[in-house]
Amino acid sequence: MAELVFFSGTMDCGKSTLALQMDHNHRVRGRGGVRFSRNDRAGESRISSRLGLETDAVEVVDGTDFWEEVMRRRTQGQRVDYLICDEAQFYTPEQVEQLAKVVDEIDVDVFAFGITADFRTRLFPGSQRLIELADRVQVLQVEALCWCGRRATHNARTVDGVMVTEGAQVVVGDVDMAVDGPAATAAGHIPVVGYETLCRRHFMRRVTAHGANLMAEQDQLLPFEVDACLWRGTGGNGADA
């Protein structure tokens, strides 16, 4: 029996790596599949892993209809036994329903991979619909880590290393940009949008790795009662803002 399976986790926990591994495992056993992705860090029509793995994929856009995609390929004689759907948090709820229809009506396995919640801790619409419809939801076992060493449970968006909690839900960036960006925006400087995985404690206190490093340089203890974005030099509303 085909299944709709949602593999979920924070950033940096190996979702795309697992997607590529599963695609490989199914292909070497003679199954035919199609890889889909949306807004991958490597660019359009790609699935990439931070371990260096990368391959081509079909880019999902708002007008993509998964039912039509599968039926067109089968009509052309292509074997389609499964779909790999990376960055599934960016899919529309209607597209998730199309994936469920593909599973139920034509017995095609769908393996979806994505982040559950955004940088404001709100569910992505695509992820919410997957949780509602999936036969199984699996949290990845590879744990992303906060800068403090605890298990990371939240995705934080940063601008020049400073955590922000407002803005558009979808802004493409990468975790590698989040740590060492400049704290202040100089004349002509284009702010760098990045992402960072944090434990709940430091997400709620808005203490990023960049802010913690600044405070360590100033020989200060890590703040447990203040907002790190208000600390001097972090780019917030502190004394030198």
Side-chain angles (χ1 to χ4, degrees):
M1 297 293 292
E3 286 187 304
L4 171 58
V5 186
F6 181 34
F7 296 91
S8 182
T10 62
M11 296 178 299
D12 220 18
C13 71
K15 296 183 298 300
S16 295
T17 301
L18 179 60
L20 294 173
Q21 182 66 57
M22 290 190 68
D23 179 54
H24 170 76
N25 290 351
H26 284 266
R27 287 182 185 275
V28 297
R29 292 295 178 263
R31 304 191 79 202
V34 185
R35 297 181 294 265
F36 292 94
S37 188
R38 183 168 190 174
N39 296 335
D40 188 271
R41 69 185 70 85
E44 187 173 321
S45 303
R46 307 297 293 173
I47 295 179
S48 65
S49 164
R50 294 186 181 90
L51 294 182
L53 303 174
E54 185 175 336
T55 191
D56 62 294
V58 177
E59 184 73 11
V60 177
V61 297
D62 287 343
T64 299
D65 187 312
F66 286 103
W67 177 265
E68 292 182 358
E69 290 280 341
V70 173
M71 296 307 295
R72 176 170 57 82
R73 286 172 170 76
R74 284 195 164 183
T75 299
Q76 296 172 348
Q78 181 177 343
R79 183 172 181 176
V80 181
D81 300 309
Y82 67 93
L83 304 181
I84 298 291
C85 296
D86 200 24
E87 306 294 351
Q89 70 271 13
F90 298 136
Y91 300 1
T92 68
E94 292 75 19
Q95 288 170 333
V96 174
E97 292 172 8
Q98 294 160 11
L99 291 172
K101 182 179 179 181
V102 165
V103 173
D104 295 338
E105 301 298 332
I106 52 179
D107 209 31
V108 171
D109 284 309
V110 173
F111 306 112
F113 303 81
I115 299 168
T116 305
D118 65 16
F119 71 105
R120 301 165 299 182
T121 69
R122 298 175 185 172
L123 291 176
F124 283 99
S127 298
Q128 178 177 337
R129 199 69 181 122
L130 277 163
I131 292 171
E132 293 166 347
L133 294 181
D135 296 296
R136 288 187 290 128
V137 177
Q138 292 190 203
V139 178
L140 270 64
Q141 297 302 307
V142 177
E143 295 183 353
L145 298 178
C146 177
W147 59 263
C148 69
R150 294 185 180 89
R151 177 189 175 191
T153 54
H154 293 73
N155 305 305
R157 179 183 295 172
T158 62
V159 177
D160 288 334
V162 179
M163 181 174 162
V164 295
T165 57
E166 296 181 354
Q169 186 175 53
V170 179
V171 176
V172 178
D174 200 4
V175 295
D176 294 336
M177 303 176 185
V179 176
D180 297 321
T185 301
H189 170 69
I190 300 176
V192 176
V193 176
Y195 290 89
E196 184 173 345
T197 55
L198 298 174
C199 64
R200 185 183 65 250
R201 174 181 298 182
H202 290 123
F203 181 90
M204 298 298 289
R205 292 169 179 162
R206 301 174 69 184
V207 184
T208 66
H210 175 69
N213 288 339
L214 283 177
M215 290 179 282
E217 290 172 2
Q218 296 176 14
D219 295 324
Q220 298 286 345
L221 294 176
L222 293 181
F224 291 99
E225 301 298 336
V226 299
D227 187 332
C229 292
L230 303 181
W231 199 262
R232 177 182 295 272
T234 60
N237 298 320
D240 61 348

